[in-house]
Amino acid sequence: MPGFVETPQPARVPGLEHLHTGKVRDLYRNEAGELVMVASDRISAYDWVLPTEIPDKGRILTRLTQWWFDQLADLVPNHLISTEVPDGAPADWEGRVMVCRPLEMLPIECVARGYLTGSGLVEYRRDRTVCGLALPPGLEDGSELPAPIFTPATKAEVGDHDENVTHEEVARRVGVETAAELRQLTLAVYGRGRDIARDRGIILADTKFEFGREATAPGSGEGEAAAGPLVLADEVLTPDSSRFWLKSEWAPGRPQQPFDKQYLRDWLASPASGWDRDGDAPPPPLPEEVVAGTRDRYTEAYRLLTGLAWD
Ligand SMILES: Nc1ncnc2c1ncn2[C@@H]1O[C@H](COP(=O)(O)OP(=O)(O)OP(=O)(O)O)[C@@H](O)[C@H]1O
Ligand SMILES: [Mg+2]
């Protein structure tokens, strides 16, 4: 089973309890009971966490997520409390830390798609649907959909694929009301993100959000399920969680100019990498130019979206 090529060793910091090592983030709990999320420079593709890091990636994702939370604040509450580095933490945590409200996460990857590509395109060509939703004929790779669609998936363990699920399955897992709310919020946040990105020359083709609820909401009695409002968690609208394309070169009918992980996926899938995606062997280390090419795309996405140079 894929997973980590090299198992990361989380830093030990006094006062922080290590909770979890995700593909990209290390999670800790501080003495106030808050969640301390530290974004690493790790990068994953095809269900593998690669053996080579992308310098500055953790700081780019953190800063971009913070910027988006500000843009979205009137639409949905988010989990960010501060970006303060805890006392005693390694100096290189600077810029990579998000101190967050710990949430009960909903076990759904909330995906919104406004454009057709990737696995959606494969399904469309076969069945003229995406995640079971019927679409009009004549769409091509990169076409804008008549309206954005909500295509939820269930979250997989490290090394496993996320699996698309129907709206009924989401309702079964989280309840009918929450399912409807997730869909509405996902599409609302995607719509806002798409419009902001478009104004700045980027097409937000699709993206993934994670939501949770405050574990002990005001008014909810002991033992009751979390009943507070849905809170936007994790990272948002980053090149890890989204497909970004250069708007000036957008032309349906061919692959688009990616400002995200697609560049790395394409290299891994190409003969240049010498890697067999379908075999058991882990992916190879990334050559310098692929590291630089990936980093350039992440910094460029940051610059275009925020209007700020990456330092
Ligand atoms: N506010 C929050 N409260 C609790 N958990 C959160 C919160 N925000 C994000 N998370 C969780 O933190 C983890 C972030 O780590 P990362 O993005 O590296 O994980 P992943 O690879 O996407 O998934 P996994 O953790 O399953 O490997 C995710 O499991 C996410 O669901
Ligand atoms: Mg994640």
Side-chain angles (χ1 to χ4, degrees):
M1 191 184 81
F4 293 101
V5 176
E6 284 160 23
T7 313
Q9 292 304 319
R12 284 165 186 275
V13 179
L16 293 189
E17 179 194 352
H18 175 250
L19 300 176
H20 179 75
T21 295
K23 288 193 283 290
V24 170
R25 292 174 179 75
D26 297 312
L27 267 55
Y28 302 80
R29 182 166 35 228
N30 66 17
E31 283 165 344
E34 297 157 341
L35 188 73
V36 178
M37 292 195 12
V38 187
S40 71
D41 290 343
R42 298 192 288 272
I43 191 161
S44 69
Y46 297 119
D47 302 318
W48 284 96
V49 178
L50 303 184
T52 313
E53 297 193 331
I54 308 299
D56 291 333
K57 176 172 171 286
R59 294 199 298 134
I60 298 167
L61 297 188
T62 303
R63 221 185 280 177
L64 192 56
T65 293
Q66 239 182 298
W67 183 82
W68 277 116
F69 279 148
D70 286 341
Q71 315 297 312
L72 302 167
D74 60 308
L75 276 185
V76 59
N78 65 67
H79 67 161
L80 183 63
I81 298 171
S82 83
T83 53
E84 215 170 292
V85 178
D87 289 340
D92 73 355
W93 278 23
E94 190 63 52
R96 302 195 286 123
V97 173
M98 295 204 303
V99 180
C100 298
R101 292 193 269 162
L103 302 174
E104 284 182 9
M105 298 300 289
L106 291 151
I108 305 291
E109 308 263 280
C110 294
V111 179
R113 303 171 194 244
Y115 292 76
L116 187 65
T117 193
S119 63
L121 179 66
V122 173
E123 181 185 329
Y124 176 82
R125 284 183 173 151
R126 196 182 55 220
D127 304 328
R128 216 208 278 161
T129 58
V130 171
C131 297
L133 302 170
L135 290 171
L139 301 179
E140 306 175 280
D141 191 358
S143 289
E144 183 168 12
L145 301 177
I149 54 176
F150 175 57
T151 60
T154 53
K155 202 180 166 72
E157 296 300 310
V158 173
D160 250 346
H161 295 299
D162 292 345
E163 240 179 78
N164 291 328
V165 288
T166 61
H167 193 78
E168 289 69 39
E169 178 59 21
V170 177
R172 203 185 62 73
R173 289 175 188 234
V174 300
V176 176
E177 274 176 35
T178 298
E181 237 186 308
L182 284 177
R183 177 176 186 281
Q184 182 265 323
L185 264 183
T186 298
L187 292 175
V189 178
Y190 169 78
R192 170 74 62 84
R194 176 202 54 199
D195 293 349
I196 291 176
R198 194 180 274 161
D199 283 347
R200 290 159 159 81
I202 284 197
I203 289 180
L204 172 61
D206 53 40
T207 195
K208 188 256 311 183
F209 303 114
E210 292 186 33
F211 295 91
R213 291 189 198 275
E214 201 93 44
T216 47
S220 73
E222 211 168 303
E224 276 178 40
L230 286 175
V231 177
L232 186 56
D234 208 56
E235 62 175 337
V236 287
L237 298 165
T238 70
D240 267 17
S241 67
S242 318
R243 277 197 174 89
F244 292 140
W245 298 334
L246 194 59
K247 188 175 120 190
S248 58
E249 289 182 22
W250 173 63
R254 57 158 173 78
Q256 311 302 312
Q257 198 56 249
F259 276 96
D260 54 43
K261 269 206 294 204
Q262 191 58 41
Y263 164 79
L264 175 65
R265 292 190 200 106
D266 291 347
W267 180 81
L268 279 170
S270 78
S273 77
W275 182 56
D276 174 14
R277 247 175 82 184
D278 302 316
D280 294 328
L286 307 177
E288 237 169 78
E289 67 271 17
V290 175
V291 172
T294 306
R295 186 181 178 280
D296 287 350
R297 280 160 182 79
Y298 276 63
T299 56
E300 187 60 3
Y302 175 85
R303 189 185 69 79
L304 286 169
L305 287 167
T306 66
L308 302 167
W310 181 258
D311 44 44

